[in-house]
Amino acid sequence: PSPQDADRTLEIRIVPYGSDRQLLLARDVSELDRLETMRRDFVGNISHELRTPLTVLRGMSEQLNDSDAAASGELQRPLALMEQQVGRMSRLVDDLLLLSRLETESPPVEPGPVVVAELLRDVQDEAKALSGGEHTITLTADEALQVEGDRDELRSAFSNLVSNAVKYTEAGGRIDIRWFEAAGAACAAVADTGKGIPAHHLPRLTERFYRVDAGRASREGGTGLGLAIVKHVLSRHGARLSVTSEQGVGSTFTAVFPHYQRVKTTTPASQPD
Ligand code: ADP
């Protein structure tokens, strides 16, 4: 190889050829790689730049909302709408920044043991606040199951799954969160009794901005980036997302962690030496 070849990226595939032979295919994907890096950097930079003006706008719209002008009646609605839209844009920018960080940074530098049961209790509380008491939200968690990883990243993944369940389930519905061991993996499952997702949408759900029902999704204030974030966080933890859904019955999103530990939760009674 010549020096110019040093930063070339080749994609190598071996495919069956006839009944007893195989083909080795090599494709130069350096240009694709370069464009992908440019895209990621661009999105990351622009989100970062948008943050400051948005913070200013947000502060000002909150201030206006609390002012006498808002109380006068005529301005109440436009000001409330402004605050709502600025909030939505801030969530979008935060999600874009998080996603570009997850895409560009290497996996967590110093992963630590994460007590997932604890994390899920926080996520359950958050979901109850979001639901405003309109859904029954339960949690069953195996306290002894732990994974190695980044607590904040995992929290944002679980929180996206649970807040989706709340957003896409009618009032009066149920959301069950479970953390359990099955078939050699630790699983975090979020099951809802919502409207469900038609099967042909399932393979594309984790694409950025992919929505099943765009109208409903934007009314619910989603950014369209939640499941893309979930997918990236899980893959950084060696885990994957599986989804089953039935229209009119509900959906279950399961994060499957093949690497996990079972720790003793009770301290054995101390023995005299
Ligand atoms: P959004 O911010 O739009 O919720 P997500 O990436 O989190 O974006 O989800 C993508 C789409 O998947 C949503 O717009 C919605 O159509 C669908 N979806 C996600 N979770 C559920 C769920 N629990 N029930 C029904 N549809 C869902």
Side-chain angles (χ1 to χ4, degrees), residues 95 160-161 164-169 190 192 194-197 205-207 209-214 216-218 220-229 245 250-253:
D95 275 2
N160 270 306
L161 292 180
N164 275 351
V166 172
K167 284 191 301 190
Y168 302 109
T169 301
V190 181
D192 64 52
K195 56 188 276 188
I197 303 161
L205 282 187
T206 57
E207 288 175 19
F209 299 115
Y210 189 84
R211 269 128 170 202
V212 176
D213 173 353
R216 164 139 201 190
S218 75
E220 295 297 344
T223 62
L225 296 171
L227 291 178
I229 290 173
S245 188
S251 315
T252 303
F253 286 75

Side-chain angles (χ1 to χ4, degrees), residues 4-5 7-11 27-40:
Q4 296 98 296
D5 291 335
D7 51 6
R8 295 222 150 265
T9 313
L10 290 185
E11 184 186 87
R27 192 159 73 114
D28 185 342
V29 289
S30 319
E31 186 58 14
L32 278 178
D33 249 20
R34 198 180 62 81
L35 289 173
E36 180 58 17
T37 307
M38 263 174 69
R39 182 196 64 77
R40 281 199 305 243

Side-chain angles (χ1 to χ4, degrees), residues 3-264:
Q4 296 98 296
D5 291 335
D7 51 6
R8 295 222 150 265
T9 313
L10 290 185
E11 184 186 87
I12 311 276
R13 285 196 302 146
I14 299 173
V15 293
Y17 182 68
S19 57
D20 57 350
R21 280 184 284 179
Q22 290 185 322
L23 271 186
L24 183 113
L25 299 176
R27 192 159 73 114
D28 185 342
V29 289
S30 319
E31 186 58 14
L32 278 178
D33 249 20
R34 198 180 62 81
L35 289 173
E36 180 58 17
T37 307
M38 263 174 69
R39 182 196 64 77
R40 281 199 305 243
D41 288 352
F42 177 72
V43 173
N45 290 341
I46 207 156
S47 323
H48 191 77
E49 291 300 322
L50 282 170
R51 235 181 177 183
T52 316
L54 262 175
T55 312
V56 176
L57 277 176
R58 199 177 195 173
M60 287 171 75
S61 84
E62 277 168 9
Q63 221 175 319
L64 277 172
N65 244 327
D66 296 339
S67 69
D68 294 343
S72 73
E74 210 176 299
L75 285 179
Q76 213 167 357
R77 198 174 141 68
L79 284 176
L81 271 177
M82 197 165 116
E83 194 175 331
Q84 189 192 358
Q85 294 301 319
V86 169
R88 190 164 157 208
M89 206 156 149
S90 305
R91 281 200 299 282
L92 186 59
V93 166
D94 286 348
D95 275 2
L96 275 173
L97 261 179
L98 174 60
L99 193 57
S100 77
R101 190 171 65 71
L102 291 173
E103 284 177 331
T104 42
E105 274 179 21
S106 38
V109 198
E110 282 185 57
V114 180
V115 183
V116 176
E118 238 172 53
L119 212 59
L120 290 175
R121 272 192 286 279
D122 292 350
V123 171
Q124 180 194 23
D125 289 343
E126 248 176 55
K128 282 183 176 165
L130 179 69
S131 145
E134 290 188 339
H135 304 84
T136 307
I137 305 176
T138 68
L139 169 66
T140 322
D142 186 334
E143 301 285 332
L145 293 183
Q146 293 189 356
V147 295
E148 280 289 309
D150 183 301
R151 204 184 144 82
D152 290 340
E153 280 186 24
L154 288 171
R155 178 204 294 267
S156 90
F158 298 141
S159 156
N160 270 306
L161 292 180
V162 177
S163 66
N164 275 351
V166 172
K167 284 191 301 190
Y168 302 109
T169 301
E170 301 298 332
R174 250 189 99 83
I175 290 143
D176 295 313
I177 311 167
R178 290 185 305 131
W179 174 237
F180 58 98
E181 189 178 20
C187 304
V190 181
D192 64 52
T193 57
K195 56 188 276 188
I197 303 161
H200 66 277
H201 287 288
L202 295 180
R204 300 193 55 193
L205 282 187
T206 57
E207 288 175 19
R208 296 178 208 101
F209 299 115
Y210 189 84
R211 269 128 170 202
V212 176
D213 173 353
R216 164 139 201 190
S218 75
R219 274 195 306 282
E220 295 297 344
T223 62
L225 296 171
L227 291 178
I229 290 173
V230 172
K231 181 182 149 185
H232 275 88
V233 169
L234 293 183
S235 87
R236 286 156 68 85
H237 286 81
R240 65 183 175 83
L241 182 66
S242 104
V243 190
T244 56
S245 188
E246 199 178 329
Q247 271 186 284
V249 178
S251 315
T252 303
F253 286 75
T254 310
V256 182
F257 295 83
H259 312 292
Y260 67 100
Q261 305 102 42
R262 174 169 283 288
V263 294
K264 287 204 177 71

Side-chain angles (χ1 to χ4, degrees), residues 264-271:
K264 287 204 177 71
T265 45
T266 48
T267 350
S270 59
Q271 301 283 329

